[in-house]
Amino acid sequence: NANELKLVLDNRKIREAVLKVQKHPELEDAYVILRRFLIENPWINMNDGVNIPNETVQLMGKISDFYEKPSPNMLHEGKYWLCPRCNGILIWTDGKSRCATKGLCEQIVDLTQAKAITSDISTLKMTFRKRVQLPGLPELDLYRELSKIPGVNVTLWPEADRYDLLVEKNRTLRWAIDVKDYASEFTLSNLLRQSKPPYMKNIKFYYVIPDYRERMTSGYLQNLRKLTPQSKIQLMSTLVREVTKA
């Protein structure tokens, strides 16, 4: 199946970038810039001349490896429409719009507020939207929140993406964070039972859940903690308060 092959090749691109950084730690900054670029640019305007940072290009290779022409089902009334939450191009079926997430953006924002664009664009390939851009939104949200706290230094995707955030306060207190954004706490609990959190001396490690998961599914956090008592799990807002207070 051509689609499945495309999926495998696209997934390999990110894996290759991670392996490259593991072998060449000096490329860590370039990796962070590439990943952040993909999260913040789910589409690019081809008329503007694409302003891709130089550091990104050395890991990205060709733009066409990551971006492609929008599919016909993204065009509605001769325009492309942007999801008010993730800024990605909406998909249309029978006059109804949906986002690339399965029902997530729709529950957080009102898609009828979507802004239209008519320019010549390329859109991030669906594999990267689902595997990099959408999971990356809460990671960047948390990064921005924590960066506002005085005396706090936050590093994104340290040690070749071993986890999502390293948070240091006054050079003495440290937290390592892995943000997990899953619709089902049962699916996530299976994943957490199989994964081993990185052990780090004098660093608190937490799995962090976006607050909207608890709002969308009452008892989400409680269920998750019951299913995985060995894992340390926090809501995003609780973690921000903990770091602020510390």
Side-chain angles (χ1 to χ4, degrees):
N1 179 310
N3 280 346
E4 278 171 16
L5 177 64
K6 186 168 169 272
L7 195 72
V8 169
L9 293 173
D10 288 347
N11 275 327
R12 199 180 286 165
K13 280 297 296 177
I14 286 291
R15 189 82 206 106
E16 278 168 6
V18 171
L19 291 172
K20 208 170 179 182
V21 177
Q22 283 170 351
K23 283 185 191 143
H24 304 279
E26 70 277 10
L27 288 174
E28 226 166 86
D29 288 349
Y31 176 79
V32 169
I33 292 166
L34 166 65
R35 200 173 181 95
R36 195 164 176 174
F37 183 87
L38 298 177
I39 296 166
E40 293 177 336
N41 296 276
W43 56 276
I44 48 181
N45 188 335
M46 301 312 283
N47 294 337
D48 289 354
V50 186
N51 185 18
I52 294 179
N54 289 337
E55 299 91 332
T56 302
V57 180
Q58 56 184 317
L59 276 178
M60 186 188 237
K62 300 194 295 290
I63 294 171
S64 59
D65 286 343
F66 287 87
Y67 290 87
E68 62 188 0
K69 282 273 158 228
S71 59
N73 65 356
M74 290 178 169
L75 207 58
H76 177 68
E77 295 174 351
K79 297 170 188 164
Y80 299 111
W81 300 78
L82 306 181
C83 171
R85 173 178 175 253
C86 72
N87 202 37
I89 308 293
L90 295 177
I91 297 151
W92 293 81
T93 318
D94 302 326
K96 273 189 155 169
S97 65
R98 65 175 177 85
C99 196
T101 49
K102 277 189 177 162
L104 173 59
C105 291
E106 287 92 317
Q107 290 191 56
I108 297 177
V109 294
D110 178 4
L111 293 190
T112 62
Q113 302 299 307
K115 284 208 293 259
I117 51 167
T118 48
S119 36
D120 176 21
I121 60 165
S122 277
T123 179
L124 193 58
K125 289 181 178 181
M126 203 49 87
T127 318
F128 301 120
R129 268 186 86 180
K130 288 183 173 174
R131 295 283 169 92
V132 178
Q133 196 243 341
L134 292 158
L137 292 171
E139 295 166 11
L140 281 186
D141 282 347
L142 183 57
Y143 169 77
R144 290 186 192 106
E145 279 298 302
L146 292 167
S147 299
K148 289 179 200 163
I149 304 168
V152 167
N153 186 42
V154 193
T155 309
L156 279 166
W157 310 299
E159 298 173 54
D161 211 356
R162 190 168 160 218
Y163 47 95
D164 295 327
L165 300 166
L166 175 64
V167 186
E168 297 170 282
K169 188 162 189 186
N170 305 329
R171 298 191 176 189
T172 51
L173 298 161
R174 304 171 94 195
W175 295 260
I177 309 296
D178 221 352
V179 179
K180 295 292 182 198
D181 188 14
Y182 280 71
S184 159
E185 65 271 46
F186 302 102
T187 306
L188 178 52
S189 69
N190 287 334
L191 186 85
L192 296 188
R193 277 199 294 269
Q194 289 159 31
S195 56
K196 208 172 178 222
Y199 171 74
M200 290 162 289
K201 209 176 167 193
N202 303 328
I203 299 184
K204 279 186 183 178
F205 180 83
Y206 284 128
Y207 292 110
V208 170
I209 312 298
D211 287 50
Y212 51 74
R213 288 296 174 196
E214 183 66 36
R215 286 197 297 273
M216 288 156 75
T217 309
S218 181
Y220 184 105
L221 188 67
Q222 196 183 354
N223 290 340
L224 188 58
R225 281 178 172 158
K226 258 187 209 158
L227 293 160
T228 53
Q230 78 288 2
S231 300
K232 287 186 172 172
I233 305 160
Q234 284 284 32
L235 271 185
M236 213 174 257
S237 56
T238 313
L239 177 86
V240 172
R241 280 199 299 275
E242 182 181 317
V243 176
T244 307
K245 260 188 194 166

